[in-house]
Amino acid sequence: MSDDGEIVVVGAGMAGLVAALRLAEAGRRARILAKGFGATHLSGATIDVLGYTPAPVMSPAGALPAFVAEHPDHPYARVGAGVVEEAVGWLKGHLTDPRYVGDLGRNFLLPTAAGVCKPAAVAPQTMAAGDLRGGGPYAIVGLPGLKDFYPSLVAGNLALATTPAGTAVGARAVEVDLSPGGRVDAGPLGYARRFEDPRFRADFAAALQGRLAADEVLGVPAVLGLAGAEQAWEELEARVERPIFEIPTLPPSVPGLRMFTVLMAAARRAGARVVIGAEVVGVETDGYRVRGVWSGTANGRRFYPTAALVLATGGWAAGGLVMDSHRVVREPVLGLPVTGADDGAARFLPGYLDHHPLATAGIAVDRWLRPVDARGAVLYDNVRVAGATLAGAEPWKEKSGDGISVATGYHAAMSVLTEEG
Amino acid sequence: MEDPVRASLDHCVKCTICETACPVAQVTPLFPGPKYEGPQAERFRQPGASADHSVDYCSGCGICSQVCPHGVKIAEINSRARAAYKAEVGAPLRDRVLARPGVTGPMGSPVAPVVNRVMANGPARWVLERAVGLHHSAPVPPYAPRSFQRWARSHRRGAGVHPDGRSVVYFHGCSTNWFEPDLGRMVVAVLERNGVQVRVPDQGCCGLPLQSNGLFEPARRTLRHLAHDLAAGGGDEPVVASSSSCGLMLKREGREILGLADEDLRAMGERTYDICEFLLDLHDQGALDTDFRRLPLRVLYHAPCQQRGHAMGTPALDLLRLVPGMEVVESAGGCCGIAGTYGLKKEKYGIAMAVGEPLFEQVRTGNPDVVACDGETCRWQITAASDHSSVHPVALLFWAYGLEL
Amino acid sequence: MQTIETEVLVIGGGATGVGVARDAALRGFATVLVERKDLAEGTTGRYHGLLHSGGRYAVKDPQAARECAAENGVLRRIAADCIEDTGGLFVTTPWDDVEFGDRFLAGCAATGVGVEEIEVGAALVREPALNPDIRRAFLVADASMDAWKLAWACARSAVEHGARVLTYHRVTEVLRNGDAVAGVVTVDVRTGVTLTVRAQVTVNATGAWAGQLAALAGCRPVDVVPGKGIMIAMNHRIVNTVLNRCTMPSDGDIIVPIRTVSVVGTTDSPVTDPDQLEVTQAEVDHMLDEGEKLVPGFRKARALRVWAGARPLFGAKEPGDEKTRDITRAHTLLDHRQRDGLDGFVTITGGKATTFRLMAEETMDLVARMASPGTDRPCRTATLPLPDSEPGAYYAVGSRLAQRERHLLDDQLVCECELVSRRDLTEALDRRPTANIDDIRRALRLGMGPCQGGFCTYRATGILHHQERLDQATANRALLDFLQERWKGLAPILYGDQLRQARLDDWLYQGLLDVEHLPAAAGAP
């Protein structure tokens, strides 16, 4: 690959952001073209690497070698367990507000808004104290203007949990009657903005005064500020004199937005160009190479020459993979073949929680993340595919979504930087 | 066939991404947000009936449509719903006046000293607020004593411009004509410096203020009239616009919001360029004069919402970075709040100021020598709210070329 | 075991059953209605929502056409709040015989169905999405009708006049007293408590299940063949007028704009068990192809959900013997004393939602003669409006939005797609406590919009758990059951935007909330 050309990254979700940032900080000109924002805004913002195989995973680092051996078509098998660990470590270094803790050696078990303790390898510092290993007892706070978080549901299920060591868990709900300007439907964003104000935090702490038992750990919906969250969290911990942990709410996800903001700012600082609202509507190819892409503009389209292309457009949920009413499946940017979406077999099973065959469909790649056809032949030398577009994973069941996006986004960039495709 | 803007509501998966980006919903509960107003409420709307009023609080910045990863034309749906609402309740006199700079300009300009004194007068502004609902602190620029068109009519082609060379039609817009004629002169000078011949046909308003105030029928007439004006002379040379919002009207909004399907309008939209886009294209072709003098300025560049709506990247940023000595920082996004005429209105001024506050704060703390911004009402708002001067990016290029008016 | 006594016992809580119960109560009979699930959960709640003008049957089934035309007028008077006055168009598409329009006009004239042929251009102005290649267009008085609202309004009216309505009461035994039916034994499927209802006259209003109940009563077989019809709700109102193909009734020949959606329907195939209605890929594709003929681009629009209902079709021999579409759509009233020598038992079946009131009237005319011979207790349902309905004050699709706008600042939106607020939800729970989100769905339309519960399932569970003080396992079960219930209607139509939505919902429930590891999830269906 030529050294000086611009590299287009299609997609501004986790995989695209990681790829663009890695390229830009390595001195390459990177340009993100994205139809819109990505799944970071919906994400719980923990870096889930591997949680279930479907057996519960205590240590992703320990489980990955066997997992990739058993799942040779999984994205982790393509990039290798070592890259997963390297990529997550690299990302942790970039996530500054709040800082992230943990590693692949051991999963946290962090309460969700349904009160289930979900395995995550790396998490914002503001969430870590929720780890089930601590055993609580938990006091879970509800806020009246927040319809995306139900403390009694969370506490009720936590109280049914046992720690990995087998001990029972105490949990209860506490309502704090505090809403931004009396807004009945303030939502996570409305609260996050108010929690940036020290006076609101003081009011919040005051409302809890005398209502908590000495040993209770405080679980709050993840709304402790968009900017300056770590400071807000630290200050609140000091005020209530106990560990506090955030629990991700339904979208919009405040911790997801923090992660997005930090990564986007880092990418821009490193020189990446970003065009949002620019859907890629066509490509120009030259044999086995993509020469450039056309992106839609207000009045037509614009051509961006590219030395390499990172495709990080997401999966079925994001539109990186589409199916029409005739059940014809398509990857819309490059028209890459979608594997695992055969028409013959049933794509969906009767049970909602079943393992639906379509779930693992996606783009097949080689170990450099270059797209390949059914026989394994590389389709484009200078294209890399990353994130949920890839075949072989069922991330929401494995609890591997952000892990896959980070590892493959990082590997895509490294592969562009180091490998002459 | 079903209208494609309305049909786009089918793509909404409720993901809330638009809500995270909407500047208005974040500061007032009076606006329940783009998802609610757009794809959600639209399922309850029928032709010829309006059931909702909160859509009037949408500022029309268009950010929701830009960030939607699923292709829902949220802002466009909202604009139409607002027009239906205005059609039902009627637009106040104030909105109908603010929406017609092409009419008020010729009235105000000849008596500029009088009007400007009134508009700069505190008590008089209070009277205006009471009488017509124009907020007393809203940034309203003074009329220029001489319009840009008058200057352009007597302008002789600059040196170095060959009549057979590259030529463009300059769409200057109302604000350049009546309030900032010097910007128009700078645009002409910068283009001529690059050997581009500039034609400036007599022209009216693009209809954007009418559109954003929900007055679609007059907006359609106005835009068609503009297209006709700009087409006078018969060429098919590029149309270059120095107002990012008015340029967007030609490029897209006339089609998508007003629903105009005129072939000549579509063709003109396709050959319309934002001035910075045009100049950066020249640069990409190796045709831009980059012989800039050193200009040691600290510049905060803010891309207005409507500029982002072009989906062309940030050509102004790329151009300014060609100027030696200039230190350019991009704003962290956000909206200044003004949204054309939205922030001028008594009931929305406070919302607009709250929307813009994070940006104003960036300006205050960054304390740049100057703010560069492609939108005129945004510049006025930023300057009024942050007490920092603001200019169009082309003005910086003009100075970097060492040109003088 | 508890026993209650009544004069009239109605079995079945569909439109017919609640119609009979209301009619009976208004005539002054002590009345009890039992329903094995929730009201309108069977066929009534699974139809396309059309209030027939009669045009559909004008050529093929004049009796049905006449009844529909008359009842259309009656229901517009008594149930305006359940009806949206959309009007209907019969259009001749390029696939239809142009001459049929003449037979259609003649049929309408003969059966009293109001019709006006209009210019094709006028039809296209009215409905821009309509196929521009249609060759004729006829305007009729079709409308859309909210069957749940209708059923609940009838039940409420019945209760106001002294009736008892017992939902989730399944009949386990029909009591006999020699040659007479004397009532039934029921079990409350939620609590397991049994209840005996003794009655002078028992009305079998179980529609497609009428044969099953008749068998339980021990009478001669009642030949009701369940006719399966599938319907697909499209995500929004692609049209605002009911669209019919101007041809003999056939599959996929109608699109009904109802509430926030457009429903395309329907198919017709005999099945053996009305509780086993599977939707096949081929049926879905057939509906989409037919929809495309009326509205070009239909396949690109978003399908929201698919479901199947079981029509009660009386008079077929056995499934497979003949096409069920050829069986009359008129209804059948059986007096089992005459038919089987079984006293105190009548069966009303067949028919359609549009004629439910007429069916109830005819049934109660017979029942009144049986229960109180010699007295005159006339039917009042044709003139007395239902609660909340004023003649002429039709439902408008924008009404919920207008209502929401009034409460932007004082109430939370729980189901964003269908604009169900927190107060709507808590008040509904106050009126009728339940641990079942599907009950709430039918009462409020919660979870019926584009995201199919993607956001509100969690919210409804949280509010339900809190307000009803549910134990944790019940709350978790409510959440998982509703996700499963939604999935059933999604899986067969997952493509395009709805596939995208379903995968996003997976992210929320599995990726973010991890519901598959909820304590109650073990052994989930």
Side-chain angles (χ1 to χ4, degrees):
Chain A
M1 275 171 209
S2 68
D3 288 335
D4 51 358
E6 185 168 88
I7 298 163
V8 169
V9 176
V10 188
M14 195 64 177
L17 283 170
V18 163
L21 172 56
R22 186 69 198 91
L23 288 166
E25 70 177 13
R28 295 297 297 257
R29 283 198 288 138
R31 179 183 294 272
I32 291 178
L33 296 175
K35 189 174 174 183
F37 289 152
T40 43
H41 291 53
L42 322 177
S43 152
T46 54
I47 309 299
D48 302 354
V49 173
L50 189 64
Y52 292 97
T53 63
V57 171
M58 290 302 132
S59 163
L64 272 172
F67 182 78
V68 298
E70 283 165 27
H71 301 82
D73 295 326
H74 196 280
Y76 285 158
R78 291 290 178 271
V79 302
V83 167
V84 178
E85 188 143 17
E86 179 185 326
V88 172
W90 168 86
L91 180 79
K92 243 178 88 177
H94 279 281
L95 294 172
T96 48
D97 184 22
R99 278 172 292 169
Y100 275 55
V101 292
D103 54 46
L104 269 56
R106 198 183 73 163
N107 271 330
F108 293 109
L109 294 170
L110 300 178
T112 70
V116 176
C117 291
K118 186 168 74 90
V122 172
Q125 193 168 195
T126 59
M127 294 184 189
D131 193 355
L132 181 66
R133 255 172 278 266
Y138 298 107
I140 309 295
V141 173
L143 295 161
L146 196 57
K147 63 191 175 195
D148 294 323
F149 187 80
Y150 294 89
S152 51
L153 195 65
V154 178
N157 278 323
L158 280 176
L160 294 176
T162 48
T163 66
T167 53
V169 175
R172 68 185 182 102
V174 182
E175 298 281 348
V176 170
D177 191 13
L178 200 62
S179 59
R183 286 174 76 164
V184 294
D185 211 346
L189 289 172
Y191 274 102
R193 263 163 232 294
R194 291 297 289 130
F195 267 104
E196 289 171 10
D197 182 348
R199 285 166 302 181
F200 192 80
R201 298 199 290 264
D203 290 346
F204 179 76
L208 287 164
Q209 193 77 44
R211 296 176 62 190
L212 301 173
D215 58 345
E216 275 177 338
V217 182
L218 197 65
V220 299
V223 298
L224 300 183
L226 276 166
E230 181 152 312
Q231 191 198 337
W233 166 77
E234 276 173 357
E235 189 210 281
L236 266 179
E237 278 203 333
R239 281 185 186 276
V240 299
E241 298 174 325
R242 67 193 60 240
I244 293 182
F245 65 99
E246 291 188 302
I247 302 172
T249 66
L250 282 193
S253 166
V254 170
L257 276 162
R258 292 175 196 146
M259 193 167 68
F260 169 83
T261 306
V262 166
L263 292 177
M264 187 57 99
R268 282 183 197 269
R269 265 200 313 276
R273 295 276 193 273
V274 182
V275 191
I276 302 293
E279 180 181 9
V280 173
V281 294
V283 294
E284 297 292 333
T285 58
D286 187 0
Y288 290 97
R289 300 185 72 81
V290 170
R291 284 195 299 115
V293 305
W294 291 97
S295 91
T297 62
N299 59 340
R301 58 180 197 167
R302 175 163 282 276
F303 187 67
Y304 294 92
T306 186
L309 180 76
V310 178
L311 186 74
T313 46
W316 302 103
L321 301 169
V322 296
M323 182 192 287
D324 70 13
S325 74
H326 297 281
R327 277 68 170 181
V328 175
V329 298
R330 202 162 57 84
E331 182 285 301
V333 172
L334 287 155
L336 299 173
V338 180
T339 65
D342 296 343
D343 199 17
R347 286 164 169 158
F348 302 107
L349 304 178
Y352 171 66
L353 294 174
D354 288 346
H355 290 269
H356 304 290
L358 191 78
T360 52
I363 306 303
V365 291
D366 69 0
R367 67 196 187 96
W368 299 107
L369 299 178
R370 295 176 301 189
V372 297
D373 65 14
R375 298 187 322 275
V378 171
L379 293 162
Y380 293 104
D381 287 333
N382 66 338
V383 170
R384 304 290 183 272
V385 186
T389 321
L390 293 166
E394 208 173 351
W396 51 90
K397 283 202 188 298
E398 298 160 6
K399 312 297 181 244
S400 62
D402 276 341
I404 290 172
S405 291
V406 173
T408 58
Y410 179 87
H411 190 62
M414 295 306 284
S415 159
V416 168
L417 290 168
T418 61
E419 189 257 345
E420 300 298 316
Chain B
M1 201 189 92
E2 198 188 13
D3 160 47
V5 166
R6 175 173 159 86
S8 78
L9 77 86
D10 272 359
H11 306 318
C12 177
V13 291
K14 311 274 151 179
C15 70
T16 74
I17 283 175
C18 58
E19 294 184 351
T20 67
C22 174
V24 178
Q26 286 166 29
V27 302
T28 175
L30 296 172
F31 185 62
K35 181 172 74 163
Y36 167 93
E37 301 288 2
Q40 274 171 200
E42 185 63 19
R43 296 176 70 239
F44 293 82
R45 294 188 184 119
Q46 272 189 298
S50 170
D52 50 325
H53 56 266
S54 61
V55 73
D56 190 39
Y57 277 95
C58 167
S59 78
C61 71
I63 294 291
C64 46
S65 294
Q66 290 165 36
V67 303
C68 173
H70 304 295
V72 185
K73 305 275 184 193
I74 312 167
E76 292 78 3
I77 291 172
N78 290 355
S79 290
R80 291 181 181 190
R82 189 171 51 240
Y85 168 70
K86 285 290 169 69
E88 195 154 296
V89 302
L93 170 70
R94 173 201 63 194
D95 294 10
R96 284 178 278 137
V97 171
L98 287 176
R100 289 178 169 83
V103 174
T104 51
M107 288 159 61
S109 187
V111 289
V114 181
V115 178
N116 294 343
R117 254 204 314 278
V118 170
M119 295 307 285
N121 176 297
R125 288 294 299 269
W126 279 104
V127 172
L128 266 178
E129 173 167 326
R130 288 267 171 75
V132 298
L134 178 75
H135 194 276
H136 68 273
S137 296
V140 182
Y143 281 105
R146 184 167 181 243
S147 75
F148 173 69
Q149 272 171 14
R150 274 182 64 196
W151 174 87
R153 278 183 215 122
S154 59
H155 172 62
R156 294 286 161 266
R157 193 170 62 234
V161 176
H162 297 288
D164 302 334
R166 211 187 286 265
S167 81
V168 300
V169 170
Y170 178 31
F171 165 39
H172 51 70
C174 299
S175 70
T176 301
N177 197 36
W178 305 114
F179 301 115
E180 298 181 326
D182 287 354
L183 170 61
R185 296 172 62 187
M186 291 176 183
V187 167
V188 171
V190 166
L191 286 167
E192 288 183 343
R193 164 81 176 223
N194 285 285
V196 179
Q197 190 182 169
V198 185
R199 278 203 310 117
V200 187
D202 278 359
Q203 55 192 264
C205 177
C206 66
L208 172 60
L210 287 162
Q211 180 259 97
S212 69
N213 280 287
L215 303 164
F216 277 18
E217 251 329 296
R220 291 185 185 113
R221 283 198 301 274
T222 306
L223 180 58
R224 283 187 167 127
H225 206 271
L226 171 73
H228 179 262
D229 290 344
L230 293 178
D236 59 356
E237 64 266 64
V239 174
V240 172
S242 55
S243 163
S244 50
S245 55
C246 303
L248 191 61
M249 193 71 183
L250 265 187
K251 278 184 171 182
R252 183 180 64 197
E253 312 294 47
R255 277 184 294 121
E256 290 209 336
I257 295 181
L258 298 177
L260 290 175
D262 313 23
E263 181 49 35
D264 53 341
L265 194 65
R266 190 195 56 78
M268 178 164 292
E270 281 184 4
R271 59 187 166 91
T272 297
Y273 293 78
D274 178 78
I275 177 67
C276 292
E277 177 187 27
F278 182 81
L279 292 173
L280 189 65
D281 279 359
L282 282 187
H283 181 56
D284 287 346
Q285 296 154 22
L288 185 80
D289 180 352
T290 54
D291 186 15
F292 295 112
R293 63 177 178 146
R294 192 177 159 73
L295 207 57
L297 287 174
R298 286 171 49 253
V299 179
L300 179 78
Y301 171 70
H302 175 67
C305 307
Q306 309 283 355
Q307 190 280 347
R308 285 176 257 162
H310 289 246
M312 61 187 178
T314 46
L317 196 61
D318 296 344
L319 288 168
L320 295 179
R321 284 179 174 157
L322 298 172
V323 178
M326 194 177 284
E327 189 191 314
V328 192
V329 176
E330 192 180 1
S331 82
C335 169
C336 73
I338 191 77
T341 60
Y342 182 87
L344 303 178
K345 299 170 184 174
K346 168 178 78 174
E347 72 279 12
K348 288 161 187 143
Y349 173 80
I351 295 173
M353 293 302 283
V355 165
E357 185 49 34
L359 175 64
F360 308 150
E361 186 56 27
Q362 259 183 85
V363 176
R364 287 185 213 110
T365 53
N367 195 25
D369 297 315
V370 67
V371 177
C373 175
D374 318 70
E376 58 277 2
T377 56
C378 311
R379 288 194 295 274
W380 304 336
Q381 169 87 339
I382 291 167
T383 293
S386 71
D387 210 19
H388 276 69
S389 62
S390 57
V391 296
H392 192 285
V394 165
L396 295 172
L397 297 180
F398 175 86
W399 293 325
Y401 279 132
L403 296 167
E404 280 171 25
L405 284 178
Chain C
M1 189 199 301
Q2 200 197 339
T3 299
I4 53 177
E5 305 271 344
T6 188
E7 289 174 296
V8 178
L9 166 65
V10 184
I11 303 167
T16 311
V18 294
V20 171
R22 176 178 191 241
D23 193 308
L26 286 176
R27 291 185 203 231
F29 288 106
T31 305
V32 172
L33 181 147
V34 295
E35 157 60 43
R36 63 174 189 155
K37 291 185 177 172
D38 200 4
L39 293 186
E41 200 178 327
T43 308
T44 299
R46 294 166 200 267
Y47 97 121
H48 42 46
L50 174 65
L51 176 67
H52 278 284
S53 60
R56 172 46 69 220
Y57 304 115
V59 174
K60 172 121 187 246
D61 195 341
Q63 188 196 344
R66 241 176 251 115
E67 289 175 1
C68 284
E71 285 302 300
N72 181 298
V74 172
L75 293 185
R76 281 168 181 268
R77 279 197 305 278
I78 69 160
D81 188 42
C82 306
I83 292 168
E84 183 180 345
D85 187 20
T86 60
L89 282 169
F90 278 75
V91 296
T92 308
T93 72
W95 294 268
D96 305 324
D97 175 15
V98 177
E99 305 298 319
F100 187 87
D102 298 329
R103 291 173 63 195
F104 176 73
L105 284 172
C108 288
T111 54
V113 174
V115 61
E116 177 197 355
E117 180 158 13
I118 63 171
E119 299 269 336
V120 165
L124 292 172
V125 167
R126 182 181 173 121
E127 290 302 340
L130 186 57
N131 188 339
D133 294 331
I134 60 166
R135 287 174 290 176
R136 298 181 79 173
F138 307 88
L139 199 57
V140 296
D142 285 344
S144 60
M145 180 164 75
D146 186 327
W148 284 324
K149 213 165 154 184
L150 183 79
W152 280 101
C154 283
R156 196 139 61 87
S157 172
V159 169
E160 283 169 8
H161 290 86
R164 286 186 69 176
V165 174
L166 304 171
T167 54
Y168 291 105
H169 279 61
R170 189 164 56 84
V171 172
T172 55
E173 185 187 348
V174 175
L175 297 173
R176 290 281 293 265
N177 184 5
D179 285 341
V181 167
V184 297
V185 179
T186 66
V187 61
D188 185 329
V189 297
R190 296 164 304 184
T191 60
V193 173
T194 56
L195 172 73
T196 298
V197 185
R198 294 197 169 275
Q200 288 178 38
V201 181
T202 299
V203 179
N204 173 10
T206 55
W209 289 264
Q212 292 180 13
L213 191 89
L216 213 53
C219 62
R220 209 146 55 79
V222 171
D223 293 329
V224 174
V225 176
K228 182 182 77 169
I230 80 152
M231 282 141 277
I232 301 173
M234 308 303 284
N235 182 50
H236 71 276
R237 305 256 298 220
I238 300 169
V239 293
N240 288 300
T241 307
V242 176
L243 298 186
N244 303 267
R245 294 268 291 279
C246 191
T247 177
M248 289 299 259
S250 177
D251 287 355
D253 58 3
I254 184 164
I255 298 174
V256 182
I258 178 164
R259 290 283 196 159
T260 48
V261 301
S262 315
V263 177
V264 64
T266 171
T267 57
D268 201 342
S269 49
V271 294
T272 46
D273 183 353
D275 287 316
Q276 299 296 326
L277 303 173
E278 207 171 309
V279 175
T280 67
Q281 196 72 72
E283 287 170 325
V284 168
D285 276 324
H286 187 34
M287 286 303 98
L288 298 177
D289 286 337
E290 294 304 307
E292 191 76 30
K293 291 175 181 170
L294 279 166
V295 174
F298 197 79
R299 271 184 170 274
K300 291 212 166 55
R302 175 175 178 174
L304 199 62
R305 185 171 182 82
V306 63
W307 68 91
R311 296 181 195 80
L313 300 173
F314 182 77
K317 311 292 183 290
E318 290 299 326
D321 278 4
E322 53 188 304
K323 291 194 70 169
T324 51
R325 197 176 283 288
D326 296 329
I327 302 172
T328 178
R329 293 304 165 83
H331 52 271
T332 302
L333 176 63
L334 301 177
D335 178 349
H336 290 280
R337 179 172 50 185
Q338 290 181 359
R339 185 178 182 268
D340 308 307
L342 192 57
D343 213 355
F345 189 51
V346 302
T347 292
I348 174 72
T349 188
K352 59 195 75 62
T354 299
T355 57
F356 88 97
R357 194 212 58 85
L358 179 66
M359 293 161 71
E361 176 176 344
E362 290 179 9
T363 304
M364 279 311 300
D365 284 348
L366 171 62
V367 171
R369 286 196 299 275
M370 292 162 69
S372 60
T375 61
D376 184 24
R377 299 198 194 184
C379 174
R380 295 166 58 203
T381 58
T383 51
L384 189 70
L386 288 164
D388 294 338
S389 276
E390 275 175 54
Y394 295 116
Y395 164 83
V397 68
S399 59
R400 232 180 221 200
L401 178 58
Q403 188 195 336
R404 176 61 200 159
E405 289 276 305
R406 288 193 287 276
H407 295 288
L408 289 175
L409 300 181
D410 62 31
D411 202 1
Q412 276 177 358
L413 210 45
V414 174
C415 166
E416 299 176 49
C417 303
E418 289 292 323
L419 301 180
V420 179
S421 77
R422 185 166 190 145
R423 201 175 300 144
D424 294 335
L425 179 53
T426 55
E427 286 174 0
L429 288 172
D430 286 342
R431 280 196 302 275
R432 199 167 74 115
T434 179
N436 180 349
I437 301 175
D438 209 37
D439 282 347
I440 299 167
R441 173 180 73 87
R442 281 185 302 275
L444 299 175
R445 299 183 65 79
L446 178 129
M448 292 185 67
C451 79
Q452 289 286 295
F455 283 75
C456 65
T457 302
Y458 170 72
R459 293 171 184 160
T461 305
I463 293 167
L464 201 62
H465 176 248
H466 185 72
Q467 181 167 340
E468 299 290 300
R469 304 187 183 286
L470 300 184
D471 66 65
Q472 206 61 35
T474 308
N476 293 342
R477 176 52 53 201
L479 185 146
L480 291 168
D481 282 353
F482 195 60
L483 292 177
Q484 178 61 36
E485 195 279 334
R486 297 284 80 190
W487 176 251
K488 188 179 61 183
L490 282 168
I493 49 94
L494 283 189
Y495 62 83
D497 292 314
Q498 204 62 341
L499 173 57
R500 186 196 314 235
Q501 179 74 63
R503 294 292 90 159
L504 180 87
D505 294 353
D506 289 342
W507 272 110
L508 298 184
Y509 284 90
Q510 299 179 50
L512 187 67
L513 298 174
D514 198 4
V515 299
E516 69 269 46
H517 296 102
L518 277 170

